[in-house]
Amino acid sequence: VVCVTRPMIVDLTAVTFLGARGMHQLMALDSACGGVGAQWALAANVVLRRLLVRVGAGDHFLPVSGSIGAALE
C-alpha cells in the first residue's frame, strides 16, 4: 500500500549490504509509487549508495539521499 498524500522515506542508513531480493523490493516500491504518483526517497549510507551505483540503480534511477534530513528536502 502506498500513500499518495505524504512522501515516504525508507531509512536504510544502517544497512551495509542489499541482496538481489532487497534490490527487487526497492524497484517494486519505486514502480508502485510511480504508478500512483506518490513521492518517496531512500536514505542510505555511503556503502549502500556505492552498491546502488555499482548495480546501476543509484541516484539516476532510485531517489537516493545520504540521510533522512536530505531525503526530506
Side-chain angles (χ1 to χ4, degrees):
V1 175
V2 176
C3 178
V4 297
T5 59
R6 296 186 338 191
M8 176 174 44
I9 306 298
V10 177
D11 180 10
L12 298 182
T13 54
V15 174
T16 58
F17 178 78
L18 188 68
R21 185 172 291 178
M23 182 63 71
H24 181 342
Q25 292 301 315
L26 289 177
M27 304 279 190
L29 175 63
D30 188 63
S31 179
C33 287
V36 296
Q39 294 180 336
W40 79 285
L42 173 63
N45 62 40
V46 68
V47 174
L48 186 54
R49 287 195 320 268
R50 281 188 204 141
L51 175 65
L52 292 170
V53 168
R54 192 170 293 166
V55 298
D59 298 333
H60 302 292
F61 185 73
L62 295 176
V64 181
S65 296
S67 67
I68 296 173
L72 289 170
E73 295 177 355

